[in-house]
Amino acid sequence: MAVNRWNDEMLDQLADSVAALVQAFVQEHEENRQHRQEMREWKRESDDRHQSYLAWKRENDLRFNILLEEVRASNHRISRLEDAQNS
């Protein structure tokens, strides 16, 4: 039965492999952290744009409803004037 013993060269190779894996893990962790940060910022900007859109829509809906009421009131006055002229 052969007994495998770790010699200095094998230990150095193992240490190099572990160091490379740790470095790869650290790099991937940093990339993931940056990506999460970018996604949080993108979501915040998207939420801000959505809130701005909702405020714009509320304002425009209000303007539309005011104009619609003005048109209805004007049409009502015109109808009364026409009715008065036809009487």
Side-chain angles (χ1 to χ4, degrees):
M1 173 181 235
V3 176
N4 289 333
R5 294 198 168 190
W6 290 85
N7 60 34
D8 288 342
E9 184 180 335
M10 294 169 77
L11 290 173
D12 288 344
Q13 288 175 351
L14 179 61
D16 290 345
S17 294
V18 168
L21 286 172
V22 167
Q23 179 60 34
F25 173 78
V26 167
Q27 181 177 347
E28 184 171 343
H29 178 72
E30 179 60 22
E31 289 170 0
N32 288 341
R33 186 194 66 75
Q34 288 176 0
H35 180 70
R36 284 190 305 273
Q37 179 63 31
E38 290 168 359
M39 295 309 299
R40 278 191 294 270
E41 183 157 332
W42 177 84
K43 183 180 183 318
R44 184 189 57 75
E45 290 171 355
S46 177
D47 290 346
D48 289 348
R49 282 191 303 272
H50 182 67
Q51 291 303 316
S52 293
Y53 164 75
L54 291 177
W56 172 85
K57 185 176 182 325
R58 280 190 300 271
E59 183 178 329
N60 280 345
D61 287 350
L62 180 61
R63 284 184 194 167
F64 174 80
N65 288 330
I66 290 169
L67 289 173
L68 182 60
E69 287 303 314
E70 289 176 2
V71 167
R72 286 179 178 158
S74 177
N75 286 342
H76 185 67
R77 284 191 301 273
I78 291 170
S79 290
R80 281 187 295 156
L81 288 173
E82 288 173 345
D83 290 345
Q85 288 176 350
N86 292 334
S87 297

